[in-house]
Amino acid sequence: PGSSLIFMGNPLESLKLAEFVVTSEGRLDVLTKLGRLKTLELFKVGISAADIEKLRAAMPKTEIKWTPASDEEIAQFHRRAAGARKPRE
């Protein structure tokens, strides 16, 4: 499924996102549609450094601050996601 971003009102200039794992390539590309974004903070986000560099290249006017999630935090995310997918009896 594709990603979409709908925002009505004043254009965003700053956005903070925290504690998630990007599970497929290009899932943050939707952020490139925020053309007036000045700062983007990604705190404890599981994404590759290469994908962050692609995002920076696509958003040269946006200051991107990234704190990667630890290996343990990423493992916890995957355990919780796997548990959420199990059918309930």
Side-chain angles (χ1 to χ4, degrees):
S3 296
S4 62
L5 182 66
I6 298 173
F7 180 77
M8 298 159 86
N10 293 329
L12 286 176
E13 291 187 1
S14 179
L15 181 62
K16 296 178 183 182
L17 301 171
E19 299 183 1
F20 67 95
V21 174
V22 177
T23 57
S24 63
E25 188 175 326
R27 297 302 282 194
L28 289 182
D29 286 353
V30 68
L31 296 175
T32 62
K33 300 198 185 317
L34 298 172
R36 296 191 183 168
L37 200 61
K38 292 180 181 175
T39 59
L40 172 62
E41 293 183 46
L42 303 170
F43 180 71
K44 292 187 178 183
V45 174
I47 186 172
S48 72
D51 282 341
I52 288 293
E53 290 310 312
K54 288 178 192 174
L55 192 60
R56 286 183 172 136
M59 302 176 74
K61 294 182 180 179
T62 304
E63 178 186 5
I64 298 175
K65 299 175 185 177
W66 172 51
T67 304
S70 69
D71 290 341
E72 178 56 31
E73 289 164 333
I74 292 170
Q76 286 176 353
F77 169 82
H78 288 298
R79 284 193 297 271
R80 279 184 262 157
R85 286 191 292 261
K86 289 182 182 176
R88 296 186 182 215
E89 297 177 21

